[in-house]
């Protein structure tokens, strides 16, 4: 550990970096890659194309199977590698590929951006070339499964669009609740923020809406049975439970509020934990380009990090980007549908899905005005079209990060963000001391669905705010004066707990240091716990009284070694389940599977007739029951002695290969990374979320963290989980794991001198002729 810290701090390397030269097809000039002790590659090229080539090369070297599995899933090519179980998933994936003019899309993009994307793809292919020359470079999955990696083509980056179902589950549920006269209860599971009154679209028979209308979305959201186990890429039911705890944190602090007089930008994206790491760190340098940070493997560029001029971060903003359209089909010809006063024929695309160990399958994909048809019911003369901004011409999110990396100031960044499709809070801080927040994302224009709005200038944003800081944590952050009634963006936002705690700390009247931001990223103060403690009744049953006494003496910090934290985490699911049974009518429980935490605590704090004729008494009885049940569960899981209870004993960080259960040979070849106890939960700034239906292991959180000292870049700190490489033979397979668990942020060298001093290996890529 000490050696890693010393190297990262930029002290002189004890030994000269090991050096080797390789030849690679696709590079236009020589590329130098310096790697530090934690496997972070610093890529130096003579052109931007080659800098991105270097990124593609190193991410393929470190994460090829991760890239390959994701690429196959997005292109609908899983079945050819994994067999018949995946043919239905492939059909769904192909339905959401862009079917328009690929050449026109590429031509409409900035030429420099496309050139960088070509470089990235060429870099991946160059590593695949190396594995063909020396198959021992491949990770064990390829030999075990008997497959070869897919090659990359920039045209596929245009074809691949987001298949995110958005809020269509909510739309179907609300229609069903409306048909039962129970729509008012939807607020308890998916509250609308800002407050809004539902409007049923003209002509929609809500009684006719069923889950079957989701068609391929429903099918694609199910776990896939494979080799006696279930392989889950998207588990629809679990995703709904986990959604409330997912998100990211980012904050930006003006130099007037910091100990150094320089801005600080901190960011920790909350993504899945338990399988492949969703971030890979790299540093790309070329004339006109100098950017470092975390990238999404398979997506060219750096998503969170800094250039030589500015730091940038992101969290999810919320934009309702999807809609379902119910179409009437012709009773004698189901290939025709009624649209704007006339019968029109579905556009069709025929595809052949290769299937390992079985004949290829022919499928017909249908579209209405370019919108995928996700279900058809000929008996009811009905079809459902899925409208998403991601399917529109110009919705090329796979190129947007490159454009951000090529920007050099606030204005050029905002121009680059016009390519950015997904809803995002962008954070910015530059070396001149400026700070800014800009929301971005394509927004459907409703109710006519005939375009996009608003322009970037009309989206919520701020530049050099008077408060001296701003933060986003997926909360409802539309400004008070934003005309949301005229510019409907979304009504579904994360609960405000993480943001409120971050704001509580940042608003303190003191100067803020880099170390303070690192500490805040690891803050485990629970605001829902504070709210619960205020509700604890004075008169309780004996078991509940023991639980209440422990919680009353607690500081509401969800620490790994805390007994009250363990008790709290076991009480809350009991409280939520009891609240749902008490408040949600039996006729709605098949649709409302869980309740919103914020809405529940709000109603318990101000009980009304929804809790019954004696609301306060009902509230107290509910809490009593949950306390007693939580205590009993703690005894069952951790023993009768509360002195031995520790939240971290249940709340473990376990990393395993996604195919380890389905393919035992893969499980044997890729050792599980485990043994680490964690604090926090899905509502604390240090987000370490669980899904109690699956157990208490951490399943989502900040697997990547960065705190940037704007202008003094070598002071910036970073963490990653579990390491840069997904190859168990690599020293970087799990070297970040203990550092991440301990919250020991590592230096991120950026200046040429610091990078040279930290280098442990040097690779020179020469173009092959």
């Amino acid at each position: 550990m000490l050696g890693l810290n010393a190297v990262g701090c930029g002290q002189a390397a004890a030994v000269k970096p090991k050096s080797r030269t390789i030849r690679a097809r696709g590079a236009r000039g020589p590329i130098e890659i310096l790697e530090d002790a934690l496997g972070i590659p610093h890529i130096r090229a003579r052109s931007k194309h080659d800098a991105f080539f270097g990124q593609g090369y190193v991410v393929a070297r470190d994460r090829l199977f991760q890239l390959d599995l994701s690429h196959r899933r997005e292109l609908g090519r899983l079945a050819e590698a994994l067999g018949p179980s995946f043919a239905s998933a492939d059909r769904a994936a192909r339905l959401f590929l862009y079917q328009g003019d690929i050449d026109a899309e590429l031509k409409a993009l900035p030429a420099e951006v496309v050139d960088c994307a070509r470089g990235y793809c060429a870099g991946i292919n160059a590593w695949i070339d190396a594995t063909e020359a020396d198959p021992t470079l491949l990770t064990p999955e390829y030999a075990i499964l008997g497959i070869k990696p897919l090659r990359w083509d920039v045209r596929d980056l245009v074809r691949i669009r987001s298949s995110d179902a958005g809020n269509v589950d909510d739309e179907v549920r609300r229609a069903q609740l409306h048909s039962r006269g129970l729509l008012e209860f939807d607020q308890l599971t998916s509250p609308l923020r800002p407050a809004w009154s539902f409007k049923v679209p003209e002509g929609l028979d809500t009684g006719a809406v069923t889950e079957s209308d989701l068609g391929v979305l429903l099918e694609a959201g199910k776990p896939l049975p494979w080799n006696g186990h279930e392989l889950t890429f998207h588990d629809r039911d679990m995703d709904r439970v986990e959604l409330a705890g997912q998100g990211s944190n980012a904050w930006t602090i003006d130099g007037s509020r910091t100990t150094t007089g320089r801005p600080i930008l901190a960011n920790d994206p909350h993504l899945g934990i338990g399988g492949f790491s969703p971030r890979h760190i790299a540093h790309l340098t070329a004339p006109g380009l100098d950017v470092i940070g975390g990238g999404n493997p398979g997506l060219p560029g750096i998503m969170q990090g800094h250039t030589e001029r500015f730091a940038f971060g992101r969290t999810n903003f919320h934009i309702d980007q999807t809609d379902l359209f119910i179409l009437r089909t012709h009773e004698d010809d189901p290939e025709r549908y009624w649209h704007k006063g006339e019968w029109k024929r579905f556009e069709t695309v025929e595809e052949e899905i290769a299937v390992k160990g079985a004949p290829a399958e022919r499928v017909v994909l249908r579209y209405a005005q370019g919108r995928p048809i996700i279900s058809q019911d000929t008996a009811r003369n009905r079809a459902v079209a899925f409208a998403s901004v991601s399917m529109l011409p110009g919705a090329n999110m796979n190129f947007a990060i490159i454009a951000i990396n090529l920007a050099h100031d606030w204005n050029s960044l905002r121009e680059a963000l016009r390519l950015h499709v997904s809803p995002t809070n962008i954070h910015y801080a530059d070396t001149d001391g400026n700070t800014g927040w800009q929301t971005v994302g394509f927004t459907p224009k409703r109710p006519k669905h005939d375009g996009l709005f608003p322009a970037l200038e009309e989206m919520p944003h701020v530049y050099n705010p008077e408060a001296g800081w701003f933060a986003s944590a997926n909360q409802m952050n539309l400004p008070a004066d934003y005309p949301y009634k005229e510019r409907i963006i979304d009504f579904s936002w994360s609960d405000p707990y993480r943001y409120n705690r971050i704001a509580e700390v940042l608003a303190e009247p003191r100067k803020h240091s880099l170390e303070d931001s690192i500490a805040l990223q690891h803050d485990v103060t629970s605001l829902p716990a504070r709210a619960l403690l205020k509700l604890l009744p004075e008169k309780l049953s004996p078991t509940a009284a023991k639980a209440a006494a422990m919680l009353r003496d607690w500081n509401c910090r969800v620490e790994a070694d805390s007994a009250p934290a363990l008790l709290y985490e076991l009480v809350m699911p009991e409280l939520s389940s009891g609240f749902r049974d008490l408040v949600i009518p039996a006729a709605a429980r098949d649709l409302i599977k869980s309740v919103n935490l914020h809405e529940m605590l709000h109603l318990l704090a101000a009980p009304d007739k929804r809790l019954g004729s004696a609301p306060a008494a009902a509230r107290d009885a509910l809490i009593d029951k949950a306390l007693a049940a939580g205590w009993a569960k703690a005894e069952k899981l951790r023993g009768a002695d509360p002195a031995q209870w520790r939240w971290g004993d249940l709340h473990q960080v376990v990393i395993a290969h996604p195919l380890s259960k389905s393919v035992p040979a893969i499980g044997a070849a890729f050792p599980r990374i485990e043994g680490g106890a964690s604090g926090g939960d899905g509502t604390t700034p240090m987000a370490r979320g669980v899904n109690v239906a699956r157990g208490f292991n951490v399943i989502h959180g900040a697997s990547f963290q960065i705190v940037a000292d704007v202008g003094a870049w070598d002071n910036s700190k970073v963490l990653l989980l579990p390491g840069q490489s997904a190859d168990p033979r690599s020293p970087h397979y799990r070297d970040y794991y203990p550092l991440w668990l301990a919250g020991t942020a590592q230096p991120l060298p950026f200046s040429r001198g610091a990078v040279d001093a930290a280098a442990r290996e040097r690779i020179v890529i020469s173009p092959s002729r």
Side-chain angles (χ1 to χ4, degrees), residues 138-145 665-666 669-670 727-729:
L138 288 170
T139 45
E141 305 101 330
Y142 289 97
I144 293 168
L145 297 172
I666 289 180
F670 290 81
D727 187 337
R729 300 167 297 187

Side-chain angles (χ1 to χ4, degrees), residues 492-703:
S492 299
W493 308 80
S494 297
D495 284 345
Y497 296 118
R498 286 181 289 110
Y499 171 79
N500 287 348
R501 173 56 182 165
I502 292 166
E504 183 177 83
V505 173
L506 295 183
E508 293 174 359
R510 61 182 178 86
K511 298 286 187 178
H512 193 89
S513 69
L514 210 67
E515 291 71 25
D516 289 332
S517 273
I518 294 170
L520 184 52
Q521 287 182 333
H522 295 89
D523 187 283
V524 291
T525 302
S526 170
L527 299 194
R530 286 183 186 173
L532 176 65
L533 265 58
K534 292 178 181 178
L535 300 175
L536 296 178
E538 291 298 325
K539 294 182 179 180
L540 291 163
S541 62
T543 302
K546 289 191 294 184
M550 177 179 281
L551 292 176
R552 286 191 178 104
D553 288 338
W554 180 39
N555 60 6
C556 294
R557 291 179 55 80
V558 186
E559 294 168 313
D561 62 354
S562 169
L566 178 139
L567 176 62
Y568 164 77
E569 296 292 346
L570 296 179
V571 166
M572 290 305 285
E574 300 292 339
L575 184 61
S576 178
S577 176
F579 179 85
R580 173 179 171 270
D581 291 344
L582 177 63
V583 176
I584 304 299
R589 289 179 199 156
D590 61 320
L591 300 175
I592 298 178
K593 306 291 181 63
S594 61
V595 293
N596 175 266
L597 176 62
H598 190 264
E599 292 297 306
M600 178 184 76
L601 291 174
H602 179 75
L603 181 53
L604 292 178
D608 59 29
K609 63 181 181 180
R610 286 175 288 180
L611 298 183
S613 57
R619 184 260 321 273
D620 291 351
L622 182 66
I623 294 174
D624 186 296
K625 183 179 179 181
L627 289 168
W631 186 274
K633 192 162 188 177
E635 288 185 327
K636 179 181 179 181
L637 293 175
R638 304 309 307 163
D641 181 6
Q644 303 302 314
W645 296 353
R646 300 289 183 271
W647 170 227
D649 291 341
L650 291 182
H651 198 44
Q652 296 276 304
V653 181
V654 179
I655 312 293
H657 194 290
L659 305 188
S660 60
K661 290 184 178 180
S662 298
V663 185
I666 289 180
F670 290 81
R672 283 159 61 98
I673 302 170
E674 57 188 339
S678 176
D681 64 16
T683 70
T684 56
M686 189 183 84
R688 305 280 170 90
V690 304
N691 186 323
V692 293
R694 290 177 169 171
F696 294 95
N697 282 350
V698 177
I699 58 172
H700 56 80
S703 52

